[in-house]
Amino acid sequence: MARPRAPRSWATACAVARIIARILGMGISVVLLADLIYESVNWGKTLGLSITAAVVALVVDGSELMGLLDSTRTIPRVSATCVVCGDMLVLCLSIPSIFLIIRSGYGDLRSDDPVRWEHADALSLNVTFAVCGLRFLLLIWSCVDCCCAIRHPMRHGGRTAPVNSEDELHNVRPIS
C-alpha cells in the first residue's frame, strides 16, 4: 500500500523538509558524479565504488521525489522500508569509497612534483563526506517513519486506525 504524500496538516512542513533534503541529496550526488567523471577523464582514475554510490543515491532520491512531487497521484510513493534499504545501501557504499579516494591520491608521492589531482580529490572527499552525513540523517528519518507506520497502521480511507480495531474484522467470516 502506498504511503500518503502529506497525511496531516502539521506534516506539511515535514513533507517540504523531506523534499528539500531529497533535492539536496540529488544535487550532492550530481556534483560527486561530475567530479568523479572529471577525474576519470583527465587522470585516468577509476573510482568505481564512488560512482556506484552516486548513481544509487540518484536512483533512491529520484524515486522518492517522483512519488512526493506527483500532483496527479498516479505514481505511488516508495514504501518506507525500501527507502531505508536504499539509504543504507548508499551509506554502505559511501563509507568505503572515502578510503578509496584517500588512498588513490598516494600513487605519486615519491616525486617532488605537486600532485595534479589534489584539489579534485579534496572535492570528491568533501562531497562524499556530505553524502554520508546526509544519508545518515535521512536513514534516521526513514527509520522513524517506519516505526510510526508500524505503530499507526492506515485504514483503506487513509485515516489511522487503532490496532485490532473493528475495521480489521469487517470482512472476516464468523467461525461456525
Side-chain angles (χ1 to χ4, degrees):
M1 184 163 106
R3 294 183 294 151
R5 282 155 179 79
R8 291 170 201 86
S9 61
W10 59 267
T12 303
C14 184
V16 169
R18 184 182 312 269
I19 290 171
I20 291 170
R22 292 293 174 180
I23 290 173
L24 183 65
M26 284 188 77
I28 290 172
S29 299
V30 167
V31 168
L32 179 62
L33 193 59
D35 186 55
L36 293 171
I37 290 172
Y38 175 77
E39 285 188 41
S40 177
V41 168
N42 286 337
W43 297 293
K45 298 172 83 174
T46 54
L47 299 168
L49 191 63
S50 299
I51 292 173
T52 305
V55 170
V56 171
L58 283 172
V59 169
V60 170
D61 287 337
S63 63
E64 179 71 7
L65 275 175
M66 281 188 349
L68 282 170
L69 296 176
D70 180 33
S71 62
T72 61
R73 296 182 185 242
T74 55
I75 301 172
R77 282 187 65 192
V78 180
S79 68
T81 54
C82 289
V83 173
V84 168
C85 291
D87 286 335
M88 186 65 146
L89 179 64
V90 172
L91 190 64
C92 289
L93 289 172
S94 297
I95 291 172
S97 69
I98 289 172
F99 298 110
L100 289 176
I101 292 170
I102 291 171
R103 189 177 180 300
S104 72
Y106 292 128
D108 271 344
L109 287 183
R110 285 172 273 168
S111 65
D112 293 332
D113 297 330
V115 180
R116 298 174 299 179
W117 55 78
E118 182 178 1
H119 297 295
D121 273 351
L123 179 64
S124 295
L125 191 62
N126 290 333
V127 173
T128 306
F129 275 126
V131 166
C132 286
L134 183 65
R135 289 297 150 187
F136 183 72
L137 293 175
L138 287 173
L139 185 66
I140 291 172
W141 196 352
S142 298
C143 287
V144 169
D145 280 348
C146 280
C147 291
C148 288
I150 289 171
R151 275 194 190 170
H152 305 287
M154 301 295 277
R155 283 193 241 169
H156 292 293
R159 299 179 316 234
T160 58
V163 179
N164 298 326
S165 67
E166 293 179 16
D167 289 339
E168 291 179 2
L169 302 175
H170 180 259
N171 295 326
V172 177
R173 289 184 294 183
I175 299 174
S176 45

